[in-house]
Amino acid sequence: MVRAVRKYRPNRRGRIKLARWLRVALLRLMACAAAGFATVLVGVPSITEGENRALIVAIPLAWACLLWRGSLIKVVLGPGALVVFGMWSRALVPCVVVKRLGEDPDALRSLLVLETQQGEQVDFGWFAGSLWDFLYDFTGVCTDAMRFHIRTERHLPKGAPVRLERRYNWSLVADSFAIATVACLGAALYLAVR
């Protein structure tokens, strides 16, 4: 069973996703529960009207946004590059610019760090420590997969960037929760000063 789980195969786009799927499922369920709770709060007549209602509804919506963003964390092994998705941004790292992928000796706990030829760093601290690590060292499996990918994909695809690029990580669901939170806070502020 362990061998079957460790055999990562590319999807139709030639990409392999390394993610904590149990963590993803739990975080997304919790985000949906928080959004559902906010929806219920909107319809409860016993909550005070006006700014207090808007403020109370904004809190679970903010939690829903944060939880959903936490579920976006993953590493995608694509043609010629690693794409590291964090909560707020993603880093596109071409394999040709990777200098080292290993543990950071200066870290308080064991952290996997990728260093580029230009000296830029991407850490994978959020990727370590899970139930799967306890069962069969999932972090080690992911590290081996990334190292193998870097070794075998040292060519640059046509039109690919030649250095590490960081961009904002867009998410339709998380950004919708964030917009709803800001709208509720704006409504609460407007009703408070009116």
Side-chain angles (χ1 to χ4, degrees):
M1 187 177 90
V2 170
R3 283 184 195 153
V5 173
R6 287 185 181 194
K7 286 182 185 174
Y8 296 107
R9 289 188 175 86
N11 62 15
R12 291 178 185 175
R13 295 181 180 178
R15 297 173 183 171
I16 299 171
K17 288 183 185 177
L18 304 177
R20 308 285 198 198
W21 295 110
L22 181 63
R23 189 181 291 176
V24 169
L26 287 173
L27 287 171
R28 290 193 177 177
L29 280 172
M30 289 165 57
C32 291
F37 182 63
T39 307
V40 169
L41 287 176
V42 170
V44 174
S46 60
I47 298 176
T48 56
E49 294 296 326
E51 69 273 8
N52 290 338
R53 180 187 293 262
L55 190 61
I56 290 169
V57 170
I59 294 168
L61 284 174
W63 273 108
C65 176
L66 287 171
L67 290 167
W68 196 275
R69 286 216 159 270
S71 76
L72 299 175
I73 292 170
K74 64 181 178 279
V75 178
V76 177
L77 311 180
L82 296 173
V83 187
V84 184
F85 287 84
M87 278 186 74
W88 307 106
S89 64
R90 68 180 185 271
L92 175 68
V93 188
C95 292
V96 292
V97 303
V98 176
K99 180 180 177 184
R100 182 179 70 87
L101 177 66
E103 290 187 4
D104 185 6
D106 300 327
L108 294 174
R109 66 187 184 102
S110 176
L111 286 182
L112 185 65
V113 172
L114 182 147
E115 186 180 353
T116 67
Q117 305 285 357
Q118 292 85 17
E120 296 170 298
Q121 288 191 345
V122 178
D123 72 78
F124 301 85
W126 39 258
F127 209 64
S130 73
L131 175 65
W132 296 115
D133 276 341
F134 177 72
L135 294 176
Y136 68 98
D137 189 26
F138 187 73
T139 301
V141 174
C142 291
T143 306
D144 291 343
M146 285 189 277
R147 284 183 178 144
F148 179 77
H149 184 74
I150 290 166
R151 277 197 309 270
T152 56
E153 292 283 337
R154 288 236 173 234
H155 63 282
L156 271 175
K158 196 172 185 179
V162 292
R163 55 170 300 163
L164 184 145
E165 285 187 359
R166 295 180 193 268
R167 293 184 183 163
Y168 180 73
N169 192 15
W170 293 99
S171 167
L172 181 64
V173 177
D175 292 340
S176 299
F177 287 148
I179 290 167
T181 303
V182 171
C184 286
L185 291 173
L189 187 62
Y190 172 75
L191 292 169
V193 297
R194 188 174 64 140

